[in-house]
Amino acid sequence: MDSDLLQVRHIVQEAIGTLSVSRDGAQICETLRTIKSYLGGTENPPSIKEKEEFTRNHFTTFLQCLISNLSLDWLEQFQSDEDKELWDCFFLEGPADQTFMVLLDTIISTAPSFRLNKVVDVLEQFLQRAGLSALMWEVCKQQTQAGPSVLQEAILNKVACLPDHLGNKLQGENRPVFFPQNYFPLLGVEMVQVLERISDSLRGGLDCSISFVSQVLGKVCMHGRQKEILNVLVSHLTDRTQSDCIWQRICWRLVESVPDRWVEPVVCGFVQAAAGPAVLSRLLGNLVVKSKKAQFVMTQKMLLLQYSYPTMVLQNLLGYLALDNMRRLLLIKVLKELLETWGSSTAVKHSPVEQQLYISKAILICLSHLKEAEILNDRQELLTVMMEGMKCHLDSNLPQIRHMGMVVAECVSARVMPEGPALKFQYEEDDEIRDLKTLLIQRPEQIPDSDSQSIGNSRPAMTPGTVLKPSVKPQPSASEGLDQEDDSELDSDDDLVPYDMSEDKELKKTKAPTYIRDCVEILTGPEDPDKYEATMSTLETLIRRNVAAAREVSVELAKVLLHLDEKSYIEGFVGLRQGALVAIAVTDPTPVAQFLTSEFYSLNYSLRQRMDILDVLARAAQELSQPFSPKAKQLPSLKQPSIQILSSNSSSPDWQKVVDERIRSKTRRFAKGQSQAKPPSAPNRFGPVAGHFFFPLLRNFDRPLTTFDLLGDDHLVLARLTHTLAILMYFAVNTVVASAMGKALLEFVWTLRFHADTYVRQGLLSSVSSTLLSVPAECLLEDMTEELLETQAWLADVAEKDPDGDCRSLALQNLLLMENLKKKTLET
């Protein structure tokens, strides 16, 4: 061994011995200055070989000696602040990688003491003085000379997990700089500084490894901190890659060098943090083509297996695929896979609505980027998948699913067959549908440059602020010019204010009938539009005013109304017919309910008529259950609060709001302010007839007819039946028959608990809620113990595993009700 190197070893060992035994401040300071000369900054610096020998083989040992001798008495030997800073400088000016490891290992292994506090202070200064960038730079230089080592792996783990180590050790005494929300943005800034050094090295013609920075990025993102670090890192990289090809290459290599096991969180983080597809394209380059792992994440996992990302992330991802010719090949492949999933009947039945909306958005964004020539080769395959998916969506009981299917089918057919007849559905446009349709319109920055072959030689993309202005000034049309001429010749009489005729009503040519029997004769006789309209307009009022006369023809009138075809010339015909049916059912409930429930399972009825029967029974039960005063008869012309029992446009009926109110009333809370006055008590008129409404509907649900199979294809009617049974059970509260109804309803629920349709399961869960709210707690716990235990186990399974969010929420609500019932029973 060289004598100079032996001398370095001898001096270090002598210094360690002196520091361990001496209590003379001057001698300690002189020893520290001697060793500090190996770090540079002195008048007579040692040779390069001596410096390398010290930093490579003796620096860590010397730092450990400094820390082991550290105590309050030892530091008091230093006479001045300059001497006290001499101790710190070894940690702040020496090799950053060794310093970092010694400091962190000391913190982890040291009990609370003065030594621990001092080391934490030094680590805080280390971070604030760009120690992390110096650390990563040291490792990057080492990786250029040799491959990764055990020390580098240890450094990587410590850098990524520093907040965890410090938080566990210091707990309530932790410093703000070590908090994750502060540490990881700082780490992001330090990484940019390392990349700056790498950029300078490349410009100087020197090789430099970037793999350690990539490993740090991947490790941090894998630990779930990609948002904190990438919000900082991506913004810096966006600015630097805008007009610098070397920085673009550095950024591409940074992401490409991330180990495969950490690629997913890094790629997902970049897609979320990028300010648009053009920015993402600059940052990632053709990563999706080069890396199979990145391709799987971006074309499979982020599109088909996850659905929590906002729409902007989808636009970034699919826009990125569309901005380069090599990547566009994946776009048509992605569209096929999205449509295949969208058109799967299993996916439509079992996947959450949120996921289906997410896939629908992705399909429309794909369509907005693809050109007709790219779609032409796969036209037939896309049309076939679209037709299958459209059928699955239209068969769904959830209006939201049906409407999504209609919108996607319209858009796909318009793009795939632009020359053919347009596919058009009838639906009410809401915000969700409008948002879906806007996805077909590309933003300016998403439009690819037709001349670009790759990111490196492509022209700058059009910015969002670019506005295309017409080169020719528009000329007024002929009709506009004619209108202007006419305006100039207007007579002064047109300045008169027109007479307000908004309240005028059309005079009726036919007088409305006065007797109910006349109404029956008109509705069963030859069709006369004027007489039909006058009869339907007054029929409900006549029924409610002439109760005795209505009861004489109640069943006959119900039969006539049930079979009456819709008259398009009568405004609001459906509401008028339903109002009359509800009125006759309330006026003479027993025979009318017996007739309607028997007809529900009869032959030769359409699905629409069967659902009309359910709606009438539900609304009649609601009205019968409400307090009734003869002095204030309810007429259709009077406005009153009502509950929307069932609606074909909603899968979550408004009556559930009333159920929620009753749940809140049964949940203990501390009183606040004055309590509300209770409504006046009155007999529940629905109680004596509830059995006629309820039990016949349960009788034949499992017996298929020639044209009607509740357990088969007619699951929409089954779903409405479950909701209707829940409503009838709900309004039977405080009635004698409630216990029997509840027991029968729980058995019905148990039979259908694994039904594949979401709307049916929602109705079953609502039925459980109604049972728990309407049946007395004593009867539930004494007479239905076994049913309740079975139902509770099923509810727990639904709350955990059901794909539909509403079903999970209803199941949790029911479990809470059961717990409240148990507590209430124990207290009494």
Side-chain angles (χ1 to χ4, degrees), residues 535-548:
T535 300
M536 293 304 298
S537 300
T538 192
L539 182 56
E540 182 180 355
T541 304
L542 288 177
I543 293 171
R544 295 185 182 277
R545 285 178 176 171
N546 304 282
V547 175

Side-chain angles (χ1 to χ4, degrees), residues 328-329 331-336 339 362-384 386 408 410-419 440 442:
R328 287 186 70 86
L329 298 176
L331 203 58
I332 188 69
K333 176 184 176 184
V334 165
L335 177 61
K336 290 179 183 178
L339 278 174
I363 291 172
L364 298 184
I365 296 172
C366 274
L367 289 173
S368 72
H369 290 293
L370 288 170
K371 302 174 184 177
E372 290 186 16
E374 294 173 312
I375 299 176
L376 185 61
N377 294 334
D378 302 281
R379 173 182 294 181
Q380 192 58 47
E381 181 181 351
L382 295 176
L383 279 176
T384 302
M386 184 269 290
V408 173
E410 287 178 353
C411 297
V412 172
S413 65
R415 290 302 312 276
V416 175
M417 296 288 291
E419 71 283 356
L440 279 175
Q442 286 190 49

Side-chain angles (χ1 to χ4, degrees), residues 671-686:
K672 188 174 183 180
Q674 294 183 348
S675 59
Q676 297 179 351
K678 294 183 178 180
S681 300
N684 188 341
R685 294 180 294 152
F686 181 58

Side-chain angles (χ1 to χ4, degrees), residues 21 31 113 128 151 189 248 334 368 395 420 424 480 496 514 599 630 676 734 736 783 792:
V21 299
T31 302
S113 60
Q128 293 171 345
L151 176 61
V189 173
Q248 286 187 8
V334 165
S368 72
D395 286 344
K424 188 67 178 175
E480 291 175 349
L496 297 176
T514 309
E599 295 300 294
Q676 297 179 351
N734 298 326
V736 177
D783 301 337
Q792 186 176 22

